[in-house]
């Protein structure tokens, strides 16, 4: 075969798309799981739109989930990140929410998965830019008749869960679709997984006014720069630095989690300790209080009033230490 003097150069291979996040449903369509190409993952139950798992690229779980948690829709999930709306706790003297069960109905309603969105291709970018956002919806038309009787307002909720390599953002948008105003409270009831509660300190609360629910709801001021947990703790703080000032969870002096809030002025710190843990049927193991702490971003010391057509948005971003 005679060689040709001017061979065509080889065609450049078509560049493949960079690995993308994957989103899958469980076989029974009860749960959505998102995984980044680098291994980080998040799992969200459609029941309550409850985040029940958040793992880093090594597969280490960041959220505490009770071994006795009900994941079948029979009751609110004990652990993960339950959504509190439109009332925090109970408010028997509040005209609009007084008949609702504890923490309202968002955490015990089945949400609709609205879709996913991902960050742009990581090609030519750092892997740290990778992210996936999952959107969930709940509205007047999708709650049961009993809920409509207890809370007779037209509303729309959009909940977004965004997974990044080193952070998780959860954001709730509340819209008043009614022709009359309503009042509401919002809380992201996050259960953080830790190794030893006696080695934990919470910072960012010094000087904050708080309601001590373990002490007859008395109002106090936090004097410690490093809050430690030594017994049953149930406090509603309003940090002095505002939502953008981080509240951190340290263990053995090292930052494990840092929480920055958007439009959520309050932070609830909760640990049931020994006796309260024993009294809760779905709290397991009973010694699990040693391995969890709730630091919950919310707007709960007062009420958000939404006029017809108005919307309220609140969010938290949790960054790994």
């Amino acid at each position: 075969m005679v060689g040709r003097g001017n061979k065509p150069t080889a065609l450049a291979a078509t560049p493949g798309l960079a690995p993308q996040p994957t989103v899958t449903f469980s076989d029974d369509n009860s749960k959505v799981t998102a995984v980044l190409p680098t291994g980080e993952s998040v799992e969200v139950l459609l029941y309550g739109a409850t985040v029940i798992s958040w793992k880093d690229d090594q597969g280490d779980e960041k959220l505490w989930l009770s071994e006795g948690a009900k994941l079948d829709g029979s009751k609110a999930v004990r652990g993960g990140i339950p959504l509190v709306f439109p009332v925090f706790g109970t408010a028997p003297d509040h005209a609009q929410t007084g008949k609702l069960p504890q923490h309202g109905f968002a955490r015990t309603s089945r949400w609709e998965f609205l879709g996913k969105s991902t960050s742009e291709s990581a090609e030519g970018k750092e892997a740290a830019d990778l992210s996936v956002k999952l959107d969930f919806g709940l509205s007047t038309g999708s709650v049961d008749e009993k809920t409509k009787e207890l809370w007779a307002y037209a509303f729309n909720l959009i909940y977004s869960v965004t997974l990044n390599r080193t952070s998780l953002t959860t954001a709730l948008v509340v819209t008043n679709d009614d022709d009359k105003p309503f009042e509401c409270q919002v809380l992201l009831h996050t259960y953080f997984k830790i190794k030893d509660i006696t080695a934990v300190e919470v910072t960012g609360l010094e000087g904050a006014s708080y309601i001590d629910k373990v002490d007859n709801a008395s109002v106090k001021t936090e004097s410690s720069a490093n809050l430690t947990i030594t017994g049953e703790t149930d406090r509603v703080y309003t940090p002095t630095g505002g939502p953008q000032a981080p509240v951190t969870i340290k263990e053995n002096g090292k930052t494990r989690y840092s929480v920055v809030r958007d439009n959520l002025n309050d932070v609830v710190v909760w640990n049931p300790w020994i006796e309260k843990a024993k009294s809760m049927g779905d709290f397991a193991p009973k010694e699990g209080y040693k391995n969890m702490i709730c630091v919950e971003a919310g707007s709960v010391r007062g009420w958000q009033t939404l006029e017809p057509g108005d919307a309220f948005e609140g969010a938290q971003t949790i960054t790994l230490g």
Side-chain angles (χ1 to χ4, degrees):
M1 181 175 178
V2 178
R4 291 163 55 189
N6 295 305
K7 295 182 181 179
T9 56
L11 292 175
T14 302
L17 288 175
Q20 295 294 304
T22 60
V23 176
T24 57
F25 283 84
S26 60
D27 290 341
D28 60 358
N29 285 326
S30 68
K31 181 176 68 175
V32 182
T33 300
V35 183
L36 297 183
T38 42
E40 298 83 358
S41 66
V42 66
E43 296 180 8
V44 186
L45 275 185
L46 291 182
Y47 179 72
T50 311
V51 180
I52 57 171
S53 175
W54 171 33
K55 295 179 181 178
D56 64 16
D57 59 357
Q58 300 300 308
D60 292 332
E61 181 61 63
K62 305 305 175 185
L63 301 177
W64 185 85
L65 183 67
S66 169
E67 293 177 5
K70 304 297 184 183
L71 304 181
D72 59 0
S74 59
K75 67 177 297 185
V77 176
R78 175 71 64 190
I81 311 179
L83 277 176
V84 173
F85 173 88
V87 60
F88 171 56
T90 57
D93 297 328
H94 187 254
Q96 296 183 3
T97 63
K99 296 180 180 179
L100 288 171
Q102 177 164 297
H103 294 335
F105 56 80
R107 65 180 188 152
T108 55
S109 297
R110 183 178 172 91
W111 291 58
E112 178 185 359
F113 178 59
L114 301 178
K116 66 169 184 176
S117 55
T118 59
S119 59
E120 302 219 350
S121 167
E123 185 178 355
K125 299 169 70 178
E126 294 295 327
D129 293 333
L130 285 171
S131 70
V132 58
K133 181 165 77 79
L134 308 175
D135 291 325
F136 303 87
L138 183 70
S139 63
T140 312
S142 56
V143 296
D144 59 32
E145 292 302 318
K146 181 179 180 181
T147 297
K148 293 176 186 176
E149 292 173 8
L150 298 178
W151 203 67
Y153 297 92
F155 70 94
N156 185 63
L157 304 180
I158 302 293
Y159 185 51
S160 300
V161 178
T162 304
L163 174 68
N164 287 277
R165 288 215 63 197
T166 59
S167 68
L168 186 73
T169 298
T170 57
L172 183 66
V173 179
V174 182
T175 303
N176 182 352
D177 286 342
D178 214 307
D179 57 5
K180 54 187 178 294
F182 65 68
E183 296 181 328
C184 65
Q185 296 174 324
V186 169
L187 184 76
L188 306 169
H189 197 314
T190 310
Y191 289 73
F192 290 96
K193 186 175 184 179
I194 45 100
K195 293 179 181 178
D196 179 6
I197 189 64
T198 65
V200 166
E201 298 174 331
V202 181
T203 68
L205 301 174
E206 185 177 14
S209 166
Y210 69 91
I211 298 170
D212 191 342
K213 298 176 74 175
V214 177
D215 187 16
N216 297 314
S218 55
V219 179
K220 304 177 181 180
T221 299
E222 183 56 62
S223 59
S224 176
N226 301 284
L227 174 67
T228 57
I229 309 299
T230 57
E232 182 184 348
T233 302
D234 193 353
R235 301 177 179 181
V236 184
Y237 286 90
T238 304
T240 58
Q244 292 301 307
V247 174
T248 62
I249 301 170
K250 296 183 177 181
E251 191 165 12
N252 292 313
K254 296 181 179 179
T255 298
R256 291 283 308 278
Y257 309 100
S258 179
V259 182
V260 172
R261 294 158 287 129
D262 183 2
N263 207 31
L264 298 174
N265 290 329
D266 306 317
V267 173
V268 176
V269 178
W270 182 74
N271 183 288
W273 212 248
I274 301 168
E275 295 305 318
K276 188 72 174 286
K278 288 179 180 178
S279 72
M280 293 185 289
D282 61 351
F283 194 98
K286 295 306 178 186
E287 300 247 311
Y289 73 90
K290 296 178 179 178
N291 308 120
M292 55 73 65
I293 183 171
C294 285
V295 175
E296 314 161 24
S299 179
V300 294
R301 282 187 75 168
W303 297 88
Q304 292 289 338
T305 300
L306 294 186
E307 298 294 332
D310 281 356
F312 170 82
E313 181 173 3
Q316 68 173 356
T317 295
I318 308 164
T319 303
L320 300 178

